[in-house]
Amino acid sequence: MTGFGSGTYSNENLQVTIEIKAVNQRFLELSIRMPHAYLVLEDRIRNELKSVLHRGKVDVYVTVAELLCKEPQIRIDSANLTDCKYALDKVNEELFHEKTTLSQIISLTKDWFIQEPPKIDADDCWPVFFVALQASLNRVVQMREAEGLNIKKDLLLRADKIENIVHSIAERKDDIAAHYESRLRKRIISMFNEIKAVPDEERLLQEVAMYADKVDFTEEVVRFRSHVVQLRRILEENGDIGRQLDFLIQELNRETNTIGSKAADLDVTEYVLQLKNEIEKIREQIQNIE
């Protein structure tokens, strides 16, 4: 589901702004961009996001303003500096007969001069990040909930539609058997007329009964209707329902395919195509649901 949220919070030391952008995707994919010095907090942010968001491609942008500038930590790598001086001393003594100066070393390398950013105390910083993150997440959830209500309305309308289509399919069951009996009877009578014999009525009825049993899709229709009832029930639930709906759509497709394979009837085939079209639209919508 799509959503956008931004939250800002500060204390005497830091001001943190966190923006979250979420777009539709079947699984959760998190991308967090934040200042390198504060990467120690990335796992905490990621865990908070996972506790609320379960689907979607989510981009998180963290901006940090340090209100009180801390002095960077500077240290000298004495071993490295000594090695540099030793090498220059040797050249100066042999070729230039002069002493090595610090400025000469600086002009060649500063690897011995190490300036580290101030160390971050994760526990001290986290409360500011947490409040900004929660404010941003709340706005994302609000947008997703509003989108979810619209999706729910659409899915309920489509549930009514597929239920009506299945009802039309169920009404065709007796007509299919009757149509088969009529065609079979005409064919058999025509064959027996050619040989001037009387067809076996009981055998004819047996054949029709076997065919009717073969193309009987009553069980599939009953299960399909049960799945539609479950679809409506799940849509009224709170919490994570996306994966439940994924499974339910698979079952609806399974029953639809079985009905289509059993019923050798043009009208039912047309209804099955309509069902598949509606189920696919439902499946696409469900990808947006948590």
Side-chain angles (χ1 to χ4, degrees):
M1 298 174 74
T2 58
F4 173 81
S6 178
T8 300
Y9 190 70
S10 62
N11 63 9
E12 66 276 6
N13 297 320
L14 297 174
Q15 177 175 291
V16 177
T17 298
I18 298 180
E19 290 186 350
I20 301 174
K21 298 178 182 178
V23 295
N24 299 329
Q25 183 166 284
R26 186 175 181 184
F27 301 104
L28 181 63
E29 178 185 344
L30 294 176
S31 175
I32 301 175
R33 296 174 178 83
M34 60 190 303
H36 187 271
Y38 294 89
L39 286 177
V40 65
L41 297 173
E42 181 178 352
D43 284 343
R44 299 191 190 189
I45 294 174
R46 189 176 296 275
N47 290 335
E48 289 296 325
L49 291 167
K50 286 181 176 180
S51 69
V52 177
L53 308 176
H54 304 97
R55 279 185 170 186
K57 185 179 186 301
V58 181
D59 292 310
V60 182
Y61 304 90
V62 181
T63 304
V64 181
E66 296 180 350
L67 304 180
L68 292 179
C69 295
K70 298 179 181 179
E71 294 295 330
Q73 296 182 353
I74 298 174
R75 63 182 179 88
I76 304 299
D77 185 342
S78 299
N80 196 346
L81 179 58
T82 300
D83 290 342
C84 291
K85 185 177 182 304
Y86 176 79
L88 283 175
D89 282 344
K90 189 175 182 180
V91 172
N92 280 331
E93 289 174 4
E94 292 179 359
L95 299 179
F96 305 108
H97 307 291
E98 60 181 37
K99 292 184 177 180
T100 302
T101 63
L102 180 61
S103 59
Q104 290 176 330
I105 298 175
I106 291 174
S107 67
L108 291 175
T109 178
K110 293 181 181 178
D111 289 345
W112 48 271
F113 181 85
I114 302 171
Q115 180 174 323
E116 297 176 337
K119 289 186 177 180
I120 303 300
D121 188 320
D123 291 333
D124 285 346
C125 296
W126 176 241
V128 182
F129 280 78
F130 179 79
V131 175
L133 179 61
Q134 292 304 314
S136 182
L137 266 175
N138 288 340
R139 291 180 174 87
V140 171
V141 170
Q142 288 172 3
M143 287 187 67
R144 284 186 155 199
E145 286 177 345
E147 182 186 3
L149 288 175
N150 292 327
I151 293 175
K152 175 183 174 181
K153 291 177 183 177
D154 179 71
L155 291 178
L156 289 173
L157 289 174
R158 295 193 185 280
D160 292 340
K161 192 168 183 178
I162 61 176
E163 195 170 48
N164 290 333
I165 295 173
V166 166
H167 179 72
S168 299
I169 290 175
E171 288 185 329
R172 286 289 304 156
K173 188 186 72 169
D174 293 338
D175 290 340
I176 291 172
H179 183 62
Y180 176 77
E181 179 182 0
S182 176
R183 287 189 294 116
L184 183 62
R185 184 179 295 276
K186 288 179 181 179
R187 188 179 307 161
I188 290 176
I189 289 175
S190 175
M191 292 171 58
F192 274 78
N193 283 340
E194 291 181 4
I195 62 175
K196 297 180 180 181
V198 178
D200 186 341
E201 185 68 20
E202 183 177 347
R203 179 61 186 274
L204 175 62
L205 293 176
Q206 288 178 352
E207 180 66 28
V208 172
M210 290 173 58
Y211 178 80
D213 183 64
K214 180 180 177 182
V215 301
D216 186 11
F217 43 74
T218 302
E219 291 183 9
E220 287 74 21
V221 168
V222 170
R223 285 196 294 267
F224 192 100
R225 286 171 170 162
S226 174
H227 295 330
V228 175
V229 171
Q230 292 181 63
L231 174 63
R232 291 196 181 96
R233 176 183 57 78
I234 292 173
L235 289 173
E236 298 298 336
E237 294 179 355
N238 295 321
D240 303 337
I241 62 173
R243 287 178 174 80
Q244 294 182 65
L245 293 174
D246 278 340
F247 173 76
L248 201 56
I249 289 305
Q250 292 177 17
E251 295 305 304
L252 285 170
N253 262 320
R254 192 193 313 278
E255 304 302 343
T256 300
N257 289 332
T258 305
I259 291 171
S261 64
K262 278 189 172 184
D265 179 76
L266 289 177
D267 289 338
V268 172
T269 299
E270 176 60 31
Y271 288 136
V272 165
L273 291 175
Q274 293 177 29
L275 270 183
K276 282 180 158 299
N277 184 49
E278 290 301 320
I279 292 172
E280 177 59 23
K281 290 177 181 177
I282 293 174
R283 189 194 65 79
E284 290 175 358
Q285 286 283 44
I286 285 174
Q287 304 310 307
N288 302 329
I289 297 178
E290 282 282 357

